[in-house]
Amino acid sequence: MPLDPRYTLAALDTIGSTNDEAKRLARQSDAPTLTLVWARRQSAGRGRLERRWMSPEGNLYWSCVVRLPLVGGQAAPVAGDLCFAAAAAVVATVRRLAPGVADLAVKWPNDVLLGGAKTAGILVEADNGAAPFAVVGIGLNVAWAPDDTPYPATCLAAHGGTADVARAFDALSAAFLHYHDLLITAGPTAVRADLDGLWARLGERIEVRAGAEPLVGVFEGLDSHGRLCLRLDNGRRRTVTVGDVFFV
Ligand code: BTN
């Protein structure tokens, strides 16, 4: 499948982090929106909360520059919406590369789980300077999964999916473009609609680490901005904009 000509691709063998390289390109050159960085390996792959993202050959390390604002003149909320666009793109990719897979879920806001274990991580980083942009970074475990992570991890190959990283690149690039365009033309609600029914532990007790004190309560769903709604034990409702969900 040829890469859509709207992308500008930098395909690399080894790089520290594809997100860092995408940011460098976005800041230091006139790299257009949809500049894509794909590396076979990362020597300093990063996850959320500055965690390490193990990046040997065999998995997909994919980062895309999106120039902002896309919609409505506001950079920051749109960067948040790109998290959901990325999650929806990963879900579509997993369905394509591991057809018939059961137990696909999304741990809010954007970790994609297979059989309860993480198969992809998403790191969106925004630069709200004079020429605002976001980098959407996606690590998809295609052939290999680490075993020393805060959550159990898995890979597509372990679920009967492909172990071919080039196929994964093609599928993810096509799916992301679809959701990028949907975000622009129809807005974030339309993007999130494709994640309905996939939220892990909906209606169950979860723990959310969003500040100094962890919050524990029942996950009641998302509000109209994609924030997580939690019913605390004292009956009060809390909405969380940014946080890490843990299963209790
Ligand atoms: C997470 O779940 O904590 C997010 C992981 C994001 C990893 C990807 S791999 C491609 C891109 N480059 C990075 O350094 N990080 C992201």
Side-chain angles (χ1 to χ4, degrees):
M1 191 198 313
L3 185 66
D4 190 288
R6 289 165 62 201
Y7 281 119
T8 303
L9 176 63
L12 307 167
D13 194 47
T14 305
I15 191 79
S17 154
T18 54
N19 262 38
D20 291 345
E21 179 61 8
K23 282 194 274 187
R24 191 187 70 77
L25 289 172
R27 285 185 187 132
Q28 296 188 358
S29 72
D30 55 358
T33 196
L34 297 174
T35 292
L36 200 53
V37 180
W38 171 29
R40 294 207 171 269
R41 290 175 221 88
Q42 296 183 119
S43 55
R46 293 184 292 108
R48 292 174 63 219
L49 307 173
E50 295 305 321
R51 292 190 190 116
R52 245 181 115 196
W53 187 262
M54 298 294 288
S55 310
E57 189 165 355
N59 289 345
L60 182 61
Y61 313 111
W62 183 105
S63 297
C64 186
V65 175
V66 179
R67 298 244 174 237
L68 302 174
L70 290 176
V71 189
Q74 292 281 318
V78 175
D81 295 333
L82 284 167
C83 289
F84 294 114
V90 172
V91 165
T93 301
V94 170
R95 284 189 169 135
R96 180 163 194 164
L97 300 179
V101 78
D103 210 2
L104 180 60
V106 180
K107 185 167 77 64
W108 184 88
N110 54 19
D111 284 348
V112 178
L113 311 180
L114 267 177
K118 181 162 166 169
T119 194
I122 294 165
L123 179 64
V124 177
E125 297 181 293
D127 181 321
N128 293 321
F133 67 87
V135 167
V136 178
I138 299 176
L140 176 60
N141 295 341
V142 179
W144 176 88
D147 56 13
D148 58 345
T149 48
Y151 306 101
T154 190
C155 63
L156 294 182
H159 290 263
T162 187
D164 179 342
V165 76
R167 267 192 75 203
F169 172 82
D170 287 348
L172 179 64
S173 303
F176 180 75
L177 198 55
H178 168 78
Y179 283 104
H180 166 276
D181 291 352
L182 191 64
L183 186 57
I184 294 170
T185 56
T189 309
V191 171
R192 281 201 306 274
D194 279 11
L195 296 170
D196 278 356
L198 288 171
W199 296 113
R201 305 292 169 112
L202 187 64
E204 296 179 33
R205 274 173 78 76
I206 58 170
E207 179 179 311
V208 185
R209 297 186 196 156
E213 286 293 306
L215 302 168
V216 178
V218 173
F219 175 21
E220 292 195 323
L222 305 189
D223 72 6
S224 60
H225 301 286
R227 295 180 295 210
L228 180 144
C229 303
L230 201 61
R231 181 73 60 186
L232 303 175
D233 293 341
N234 63 12
R236 291 217 180 104
R237 199 173 202 228
R238 281 285 290 268
T239 53
V240 182
T241 307
V242 179
D244 227 11
V245 168
F246 290 82
F247 300 153
V248 292

